[in-house]
C-alpha cells in the first residue's frame, strides 16, 4: 500500500519520504562534525591530513549509527504521525537535533582532551570542562546544527521518491547497521554518542558479582620480596624514603628513545644513575587515584579508593612505616580535600600534611586560570616550603611529594623564559615531523615540563647538602601520561617512567619487567625487611607482587587499569592487553599487535571480570583485610540492630553537637562503652566532628589504652591543626604514658600552627619539666 500525504485539518501528515529526509539530514550533519573533528586534529598537529583513512572509517561508522537510529525511530515516527499529523516529524527532528548536539559536545571534548567519554561521563566531563566552556559550546552548536539540519532536510527533497514501504526500508537500515559492527573502531573513527551509550549500558547492566567463598579474597600471607636487595648497599641505620609523583609525567617525555626528547634533561641524566623501569605503568588515568595504588597497592572501588563513601581497612606503606618509627609527610601545592585525599592521609596518621593551606604569604601561588581559580603552589615553591620543616627529626623519614605544575592550564613561573627554551630545543630538530608539529602547537605544555624538571634538579641539589642524603632512597614516577597530548594507543595514557635513585645503589640498571604502581610497596618494604627488623603484618592484601621478574612479561601478572571513575575497561594479563573488549598482544616495547585466538581472549576476559567483581566487593563491604589486621584505631562504628535501638533512644535527629554532649556526659559518668558507641556513630555521620574524635581519644587514654589514644589524637591534630583542645588532650596522654619526649616534636607543630592557649602552654611546660627532672635523676644515679 502506497503512503501519501493526508490532510488533517490544517496539518499535513508526514510520510516515510519525509522521515528518510530527516535521516539523510542527520547523517550529513554527522559528516560535517567529522570534518570539524579532523580539521581540529590536523591544526593541533595530531593528524597528518584531513581527508585520511580514519575520516572514511568515521563516516562508515556514522552510517551504521544513522542506520541504527533510523531502525529504532521509524516505527515511532509512523505511530506518532498516525496519532496526530506532524507529531512524529517534530519529535524525531528534535530527537535527532539533541543527539547531534551531544555528538558535537563529545567531539569537542575529544579534540581537546584526546579521550573518548564512556561510563562516568558526568564526573570526567565536569572535571575537565568549565561551565563557561560548556555554555560557549552550546551557544555555537545549537544554532549551527539546527541551521545545517534543516538546510540538509530541504536539500534532500527528491532523494527517496520511489520508496513507499516501511518493511524494505527497515531491512536496508538493519543491514547497514550490521555491516559496521565488524569494522575496526578506534576513538578517532568512532561515533562518540554510540560509544557513550554502549559504555553506560555495559556499566548499568554489569551484574557481575563476587561469589567466591573467601570472605577476604585479596588477603594472603606476607612474603618478603627481596628482588631489590642485590642492587643496594644498605647501612646500619634505616634509610629515608622520598617519593616524588610528578603530574602527567609519561614515558613519552623521558630518555633518548622518547617521542618528545629534550624536555626533561635532569630526569634523563638521573636515568643513567638509577634503577630505571622502561616498561612501567600507572594503574589509573586520573591523578588522585595514584596515591592508593602507589602507596598502598590497593584496589579502586567504583569511583577511586579515596572517593569511596566509607574507608575500608587497609595497610599502606604510610601506616607500616609509621609503626616502624618513621616520621611521615605528604606535600602538595594544591587542595588536598579534592577527592578526599586529606581524609585518606589523616586515616594513615601522616605526621605532617602540607597542602595549599600551609604555605603562607611568603610563597607565590600559581597564576589563576580564566575562571579565576589557581591550582595552588608551583613545584619550586613546594620543595622550598618543605625544607622549612623537612630535616627536623631524628627518626628515619618517609616524605611524599605530589606536584602540579605540569597540569592544565600550565601557568608556571617565568613562563616566557621557559617558552624560549622550548624554541631552542625545537631548533635542534631532535624529533620526527609529527611530534615536532605537536610541540609547536602545545609549547606551554613543554615549557611546564622544563620547569618541573628544573625544580626537581634544584630539590635534589638542596637535599644533597643534607647529612641524611647519603642514606636516602628516591622513588620518582608520574601520576599518568599527560592526556592533553594524543596517545598512540589506549595503553599510552598509563605508560610512565619509574626511577629509583640513591647514593646507596651499587650500580645503575635498566629493568625491563612490565610492572605497575601496585608493585612498589611490596618491593620497597621487602628491601627494608631484608636488612632491618621490620614489623610488617603477617597477612596483607596488596594487589602487586614486586618490581622485578625475569624478562619483560610474567605470565601470571595481572595489572588492572582504571581510566577514570566507573571505568575499569583496561587490563593487562601477562603479555595481553584487554581494552574496551578488544584483546591485543604486547611486544617487548609494549607496542600493540594482533590478538591471540579466542580461547586466550576468553580467559583474559574472565580474569578481568573476576577482578572487577572482587574490586567492587572488597570496597563496598570493607573486606580488604579483617579488622584485627588494621594498623590504627578505627573511629567510625557499624552498630548492630540492637545498638541502633539504643542510639535512637538517646539521640534521634540531626543535631550532632547535642549527641556529642550526650556522649561526653556518658563518659564522665563512667559509661565509656556506650560513650564510644555513640561517638563512633556520630563520626560515621559527621566524619569531621572534632570534639567527638578528641573525646574518643581521651576515653581510650582514661582506660589505659594509650597507643590507641595517641593514634586517634595524633590524627585529630592533623585534621584540625588550629584546634587547641586536640593538642591539650594529646599532651595529657604523652604525660600519662611517659612519652614526654614526643612532646618535643609536638611543640614544634604547636609553634608552626600558632596555637595560643594557656592550657596547652602549661602542659608543654609540664612535659619539659618532667624531661629535665628525668635527666637530673639519671645524672644523679650515674654519680
Amino acid at each position: 500500500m502506497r503512503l501519501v500525504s493526508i490532510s488533517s485539518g490544517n496539518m499535513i501528515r508526514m510520510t516515510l519520504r519525509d522521515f528518510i529526509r530527516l535521516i539523510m539530514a542527520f547523517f550529513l550533519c554527522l559528516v560535517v562534525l567529522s570534518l570539524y573533528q579532523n580539521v581540529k586534529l590536523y591544526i593541533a598537529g595530531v593528524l597528518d591530513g584531513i581527508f585520511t583513512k580514519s575520516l572514511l572509517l568515521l563516516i562508515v561508522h556514522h552510517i551504521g549509527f544513522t542506520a541504527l537510529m533510523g531502525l529504532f525511530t521509524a516505527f515511532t515516527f509512523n505511530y506518532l504521525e498516525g496519532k496526530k499529523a506532524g507529531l512524529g516529524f517534530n519529535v524525531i527532528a528534535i530527537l535527532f537535533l539533541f543527539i547531534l548536539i551531544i555528538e558535537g559536545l563529545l567531539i569537542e571534548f575529544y579534540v581537546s582532551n584526546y579521550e573518548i567519554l564512556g561510563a562516568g561521563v558526568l564526573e570526567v566531563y565536569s572535571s575537565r570542562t568549565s561551565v563557561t566552556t560548556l555554555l560557549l559550546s552550546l551557544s555555537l552548536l545549537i544554532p549551527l546544527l539546527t541551521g545545517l539540519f534543516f538546510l540538509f532536510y530541504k536539500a534532500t527533497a527528491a532523494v527517496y521518491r520511489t520508496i513507499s514501504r516501511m518493511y524494505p526500508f527497515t531491512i536496508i537500515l538493519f543491514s547497514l547497521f550490521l555491516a559496521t559492527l565488524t569494522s575496526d573502531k578506534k576513538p578517532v573513527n568512532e561515533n562518540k554518542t554510540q560509544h557513550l551509550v554502549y559504555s553506560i549500558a555495559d556499566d548499568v547492566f554489569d551484574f557481575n558479582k563476587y561469589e567466591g567463598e573467601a570472605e577476604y579474597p585479596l588477603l594472603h600471607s606476607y612474603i618478603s620480596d627481596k628482588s631489590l636487595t642485590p642492587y643496594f648497599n644498605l647501612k646500619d641505620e634505616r634509610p629515608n624514603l622520598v617519593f616524588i609523583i610528578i603530574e602527567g609525567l609519561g614515558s613519552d617525555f623521558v630518555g633518548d628513545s622518547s617521542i618528545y626528547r629534550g624536555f626533561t634533561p635532569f630526569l634523563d641524566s638521573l636515568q643513567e644513575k638509577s634503577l630505571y623501569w622502561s616498561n612501567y605503568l600507572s594503574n589509573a588515568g586520573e591523578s588522585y587515584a595514584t596515591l592508593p595504588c602507589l602507596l598502598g597497592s590497593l584496589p579502586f572501588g567504583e569511583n577511586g579508593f579515596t572517593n569511596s563513601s566509607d574507608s575500608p581497612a587497609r595497610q599502606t606503606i604510610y601506616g607500616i612505616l609509621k609503626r616502624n618509627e618513621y616520621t611521615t609527610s605528604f606535600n602538595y601545592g594544591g587542595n588536598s580535600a579534592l577527592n578526599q585525599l586529606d581524609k585518606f592521609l589523616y586515616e594513615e596518621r601522616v605526621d605532617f600534611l602540607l597542602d595549599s593551606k600551609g604555605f603562607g604569604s611568603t610563597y607565590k601561588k600559581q597564576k589563576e586560570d580564566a575562571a579565576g581559580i589557581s591550582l595552588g603552589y608551583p613545584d619550586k615553591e613546594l620543595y622550598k616550603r618543605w625544607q622549612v620543616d623537612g630535616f627536623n627529626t631524628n627518626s628515619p623519614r618517609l616524605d611524599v611529594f605530589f606536584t602540579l605544575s605540569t597540569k592544565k592550564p600550565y601557568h608556571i613561573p617565568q613562563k616566557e623564559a621557559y617558552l624560549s627554551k622550548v624554541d631552542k630545543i625545537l631548533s635542534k630538530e631532535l624529533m620526527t615531523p609529527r611530534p615536532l608539529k605537536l610541540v609547536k602547537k602545545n609549547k606551554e605544555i613543554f615549557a611546564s615540563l622544563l620547569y618541573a624538571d628544573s625544580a626537581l634538579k634544584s630539590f635534589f641539589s638542596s637535599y644533597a647538602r643534607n647529612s641524611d642524603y647519603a642514606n636516602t632512597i628516591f622513588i620518582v614516577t608520574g601520576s599518568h601520561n599527560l592526556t592533553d597530548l594524543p596517545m598512540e594507543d589506549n595503553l599510552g595514557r598509563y605508560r610512565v617512567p619509574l626511577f629509583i635513585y640513591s647514593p646507596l645503589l651499587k650500580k645503575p640498571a635498566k629493568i625491563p619487567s612490565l610492572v605497575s604502581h601496585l608493585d612498589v610497596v611490596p618491593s620497597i618494604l621487602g628491601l627494608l625487611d631484608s636488612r632491618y627488623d621490620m614489623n610488617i603484618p603477617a597477612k596483607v592484601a596488596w594487589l602487586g607482587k614486586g618490581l622485578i621478574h625475569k624478562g619483560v612479561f610474567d605470565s601470571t601478572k595481572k595489572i588492572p587499569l582504571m581510566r577514570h571513575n566507573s571505568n575499569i575497561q583496561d587490563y593487562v594479563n601477562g603479555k595481553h592487553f584487554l581494552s574496551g573488549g578488544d584483546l591485543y598482544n604486547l611486544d617487548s616495547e609494549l607496542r600493540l599487535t594482533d590478538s591471540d585466538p579466542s580461547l586466550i581472549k576468553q580467559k583474559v576476559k574472565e580474569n578481568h571480570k573476576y577482578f572487577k567483581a572482587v574490586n567492587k566487593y572488597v570496597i563496598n563491604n570493607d573486606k580488604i583485610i579483617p579488622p584485627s589486621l588494621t594498623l590504627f584505631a578505627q573511629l567510625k562504628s557499624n552498630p548492630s540492630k540492637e545498638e541502633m535501638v539504643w542510639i535512637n533512644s538517646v539521640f534521634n535527629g540531626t543535631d550532632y553537637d547535642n549527641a556529642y554532649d550526650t556522649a561526653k556526659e556518658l563518659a564522665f559518668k563512667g559509661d565509656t562503652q556506650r560513650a564510644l558507641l555513640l561517638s563512633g556513630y556520630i563520626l560515621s555521620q559527621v566524619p569531621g566532628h572534632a570534639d567527638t574524635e578528641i573525646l574518643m581519644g581521651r576515653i581510650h587514654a582514661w582506660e589505659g589504652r594509650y597507643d590507641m589514644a595517641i593514634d586517634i589524637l595524633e590524627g585529630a591534630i592533623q585534621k584540625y591543626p588550629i584546634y587547641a583542645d586536640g593538642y591539650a588532650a594529646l599532651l595529657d596522654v604523652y604525660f600519662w604514658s611517659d612519652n614526654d619526649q614526643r612532646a618535643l616534636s609536638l611543640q614544634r607543630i604547636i609553634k608552626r600552627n600558632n596555637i595560643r592557649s594557656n592550657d596547652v602552654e602549661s602542659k608543654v611546660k609540664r612535659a619539659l619539666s618532667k624531661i629535665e627532672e628525668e635527666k637530673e635523676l639519671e645524672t644523679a644515679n650515674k654519680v
Side-chain angles (χ1 to χ4, degrees):
M1 177 178 177
R2 182 179 177 82
L3 291 175
V4 295
S5 296
I6 301 171
S7 176
S8 176
N10 294 326
M11 298 293 295
I12 297 176
R13 180 181 172 184
M14 297 296 185
T15 66
L16 180 62
R17 175 172 171 268
D18 301 295
F19 174 73
I20 294 171
R21 290 171 61 194
L22 287 178
I23 289 285
M24 290 296 298
F26 178 72
F27 169 70
L28 290 172
C29 284
L30 288 175
V31 172
V32 172
L33 287 173
S34 303
L35 288 168
Y36 168 76
Q37 171 190 287
N38 274 32
V39 167
K40 286 278 286 188
L41 293 175
Y42 175 71
I43 292 172
V46 177
L47 296 182
D48 296 328
I50 297 172
F51 299 98
T52 61
K53 181 183 177 182
S54 67
L55 177 63
L56 178 61
L57 283 171
L58 179 55
I59 292 173
V60 168
H61 290 142
H62 283 328
I63 292 173
F65 181 65
T66 302
L68 185 63
M69 291 302 303
L71 181 66
F72 281 115
T73 57
F75 296 101
T76 302
F77 173 88
N78 203 42
Y79 173 77
L80 292 177
E81 282 297 322
K83 290 289 184 181
K84 183 179 179 181
L87 179 61
F89 181 90
N90 291 331
V91 168
I92 299 304
I94 292 171
L95 174 64
F96 283 176
L97 267 173
F98 176 75
I99 293 171
L100 286 170
I101 291 166
I102 294 297
E103 180 73 8
L105 289 173
L106 293 174
I107 286 175
E108 186 61 41
F109 183 89
Y110 178 70
V111 298
S112 299
N113 297 276
Y114 309 112
E115 178 181 352
I116 189 168
L117 288 170
V121 55
L122 293 179
E123 295 92 337
V124 179
Y125 189 86
S126 61
S127 68
R128 308 267 186 91
T129 309
S130 66
V131 174
T132 304
T133 302
L134 173 61
L135 293 175
L136 179 62
S137 297
L138 288 173
S139 67
L140 293 172
L141 282 171
I142 292 173
L144 286 174
L145 287 173
T146 302
L148 278 174
F149 184 68
F150 286 104
L151 177 65
F152 287 138
Y153 173 76
K154 287 184 178 180
T156 56
V159 175
Y160 281 108
R161 294 181 181 277
T162 59
I163 295 182
S164 59
R165 295 181 183 276
M166 184 69 71
Y167 178 72
F169 178 62
T170 57
I171 293 295
I172 293 169
L173 290 179
F174 189 63
S175 299
L176 288 170
F177 168 63
L178 291 178
T180 62
L181 288 179
T182 57
S183 59
D184 184 41
K185 287 186 174 67
K186 295 289 188 298
V188 72
N189 63 41
E190 189 170 2
N191 180 279
K192 311 300 185 286
T193 307
Q194 184 175 345
H195 175 90
L196 175 64
V197 171
Y198 284 4
S199 180
I200 292 174
D202 284 344
D203 186 62
V204 170
F205 295 105
D206 181 12
F207 301 115
N208 177 33
K209 293 183 178 179
Y210 172 69
E211 297 177 345
E213 295 181 1
E215 184 179 4
Y216 298 93
L218 298 179
L219 195 65
H220 57 273
S221 296
Y222 167 69
I223 300 174
S224 182
D225 172 36
K226 296 181 172 59
S227 59
L228 288 178
T229 306
Y231 295 94
F232 285 86
N233 280 317
L234 295 177
K235 298 183 177 182
D236 293 337
E237 301 81 19
R238 288 171 295 169
N240 297 319
L241 298 173
V242 176
F243 281 78
I244 302 173
I245 306 163
I246 301 176
E247 169 75 33
L249 179 69
S251 298
D252 291 348
F253 309 110
V254 179
D256 292 337
S257 59
S258 60
I259 298 173
Y260 307 103
R261 292 195 293 277
F263 298 100
T264 56
F266 175 71
L267 281 171
D268 291 345
S269 66
L270 193 67
Q271 177 185 336
E272 303 301 320
K273 300 180 284 187
S274 305
L275 300 181
Y276 176 72
W277 279 258
S278 54
N279 296 319
Y280 183 79
L281 303 176
S282 168
N283 297 93
E286 299 285 353
S287 301
Y288 71 87
T290 300
L291 286 184
C293 295
L294 183 65
L295 305 176
S297 197
L298 290 166
F300 311 117
E302 295 182 79
N303 299 302
F305 187 92
T306 62
N307 285 328
S308 55
S309 55
D310 293 314
S311 297
R314 72 273 186 174
Q315 303 152 333
T316 74
I317 195 170
Y318 265 130
I320 291 172
L321 290 187
K322 188 170 175 66
R323 282 294 192 190
N324 284 272
E325 300 180 344
Y326 270 72
T327 298
T328 59
S329 80
F330 177 77
N331 306 274
Y332 179 47
N335 180 6
S336 65
L338 296 176
N339 295 292
Q340 303 187 93
L341 291 183
D342 57 349
K343 178 170 171 282
F344 172 78
L345 296 161
Y346 291 142
E347 290 168 349
E348 293 302 311
R349 307 296 195 269
V350 172
D351 294 306
F352 178 48
L353 194 161
L354 170 67
D355 72 354
S356 57
K357 298 185 291 293
F359 279 75
S361 59
T362 58
Y363 298 89
K364 190 173 181 180
K365 223 173 191 180
Q366 181 175 293
K367 180 183 173 184
E368 295 174 348
D369 61 17
I373 298 171
S374 170
L375 290 180
Y377 292 86
D379 296 0
K380 287 187 179 180
E381 298 289 274
L382 171 66
Y383 298 134
K384 187 167 66 174
R385 173 64 183 87
W386 174 81
Q387 290 177 58
V388 173
D389 301 292
F391 300 125
N392 295 335
T393 60
N394 295 319
S395 61
R397 299 184 59 94
L398 166 62
D399 295 295
V400 178
F401 296 86
F402 200 172
T403 73
L404 54 71
S405 292
T406 41
K407 185 174 185 176
K408 199 172 185 178
Y410 311 107
H411 287 327
I412 57 171
Q414 300 175 298
K415 188 171 184 177
E416 292 304 319
Y418 284 100
L419 286 171
S420 296
K421 291 182 180 182
V422 172
D423 289 332
K424 288 182 180 179
I425 293 170
L426 289 174
S427 67
K428 297 177 183 178
E429 298 184 352
L430 300 172
M431 292 162 281
T432 56
R434 181 173 177 271
L436 190 65
K437 187 176 181 182
L438 283 168
V439 174
K440 290 178 179 178
K441 295 290 184 180
N442 299 278
K443 288 184 181 180
E444 72 282 357
I445 292 177
F446 294 91
S448 75
L449 284 165
L450 284 166
Y451 168 79
D453 188 73
S454 173
L456 191 64
K457 180 180 179 180
S458 298
F459 171 72
F460 269 77
S461 297
S462 62
Y463 201 112
R465 293 192 289 270
N466 173 44
S467 59
D468 286 346
Y469 173 73
N471 196 31
T472 300
I473 298 173
F474 299 88
I475 299 99
V476 183
T477 188
S479 59
H480 56 82
N481 205 353
L482 201 64
T483 53
D484 290 333
L485 293 169
M487 305 294 166
E488 290 190 8
D489 51 54
N490 285 345
L491 190 62
R493 71 180 299 131
Y494 308 106
R495 295 197 62 183
V496 296
L498 174 67
F499 308 79
I500 296 183
Y501 169 75
S502 175
L504 300 170
L505 275 176
K506 294 179 181 177
K507 61 179 181 179
K510 185 175 180 179
I511 298 170
S513 302
L514 173 57
V515 289
S516 74
H517 281 341
L518 295 173
D519 296 296
V520 172
V521 164
S523 281
I524 295 296
L525 289 178
L527 172 65
L528 299 178
D529 194 35
S530 69
R531 178 69 172 80
Y532 310 103
D533 184 20
M534 298 291 292
N535 179 13
I536 297 177
K539 295 277 188 179
V540 296
W542 301 327
L543 290 175
K545 296 167 61 177
L547 287 170
I548 298 177
H549 55 253
K550 187 176 181 181
V552 176
F553 302 107
D554 175 355
S555 60
T556 65
K557 192 81 174 176
K558 299 176 179 66
I559 304 177
L561 303 165
M562 185 183 80
R563 289 190 201 175
H564 45 70
N565 290 357
S566 304
N567 195 326
I568 311 175
Q569 295 187 29
D570 302 325
Y571 188 75
V572 171
N573 192 164
K575 65 175 183 177
H576 307 288
F577 174 52
L578 183 69
S579 182
D582 296 321
L583 188 70
Y584 305 91
N585 282 347
L586 297 171
D587 67 14
S588 60
E589 296 182 355
L590 304 193
R591 290 183 295 244
L592 274 56
T593 59
D594 292 338
S595 64
D596 276 331
S598 57
L599 187 63
I600 294 177
K601 183 175 182 179
Q602 184 60 32
K603 181 65 176 176
V604 175
K605 282 190 170 184
E606 287 174 2
N607 290 338
H608 179 225
K609 185 178 178 181
Y610 176 76
F611 169 77
K612 290 201 294 182
V614 168
N615 170 70
K616 187 184 295 186
Y617 165 77
V618 297
I619 298 294
N620 291 349
N621 297 282
D622 192 6
K623 295 295 183 182
I624 298 177
I625 60 172
S628 60
L629 296 179
T630 56
L631 298 172
F632 301 109
Q634 296 299 297
L635 303 180
K636 296 186 292 183
S637 64
N638 295 303
S640 65
K641 293 178 181 178
E642 292 81 3
E643 289 170 337
M644 275 306 305
V645 171
W646 173 80
I647 289 172
N648 290 332
S649 72
V650 296
F651 168 67
N652 189 3
T654 57
D655 187 352
Y656 289 96
D657 288 336
N658 180 264
Y660 162 73
D661 289 337
T662 302
K664 183 170 65 173
E665 184 179 349
L666 287 167
F668 288 166
K669 288 179 178 179
D671 193 351
T672 55
Q673 291 306 306
R674 285 195 163 176
L676 286 172
L677 176 62
L678 183 55
S679 296
Y681 175 73
I682 294 168
L683 289 172
S684 70
Q685 304 302 308
V686 188
H689 202 283
D691 286 322
T692 300
E693 195 165 334
I694 292 167
L695 175 63
M696 289 186 77
R698 287 188 181 278
I699 292 172
H700 285 299
W702 295 339
E703 298 195 336
R705 295 186 291 273
Y706 296 127
D707 286 345
M708 190 173 290
I710 289 170
D711 281 345
I712 293 172
L713 293 171
E714 285 183 343
I717 65 169
Q718 283 298 307
K719 294 182 192 177
Y720 324 112
I722 60 172
Y723 193 32
D725 196 41
Y727 296 97
L730 185 55
L731 285 165
D732 278 339
V733 182
Y734 284 161
F735 184 78
W736 298 334
S737 62
D738 295 324
N739 273 294
D740 297 281
Q741 287 290 339
R742 295 172 76 167
L744 296 177
S745 59
L746 189 62
Q747 184 184 20
R748 287 191 291 270
I749 298 173
I750 291 168
K751 188 177 294 185
R752 183 172 64 232
N753 288 302
N754 200 27
I755 303 299
R756 299 186 183 279
S757 162
N758 292 333
D759 187 29
V760 171
E761 186 178 345
S762 67
K763 289 177 179 180
V764 170
K765 289 179 179 178
R766 180 183 65 181
L768 296 175
S769 177
K770 186 177 176 182
I771 291 170
E772 191 61 35
E773 288 174 7
E774 289 173 351
K775 285 182 179 178
E776 290 175 0
L777 182 61
E778 186 179 343
T779 303
N781 288 335
K782 287 181 180 178
V783 174

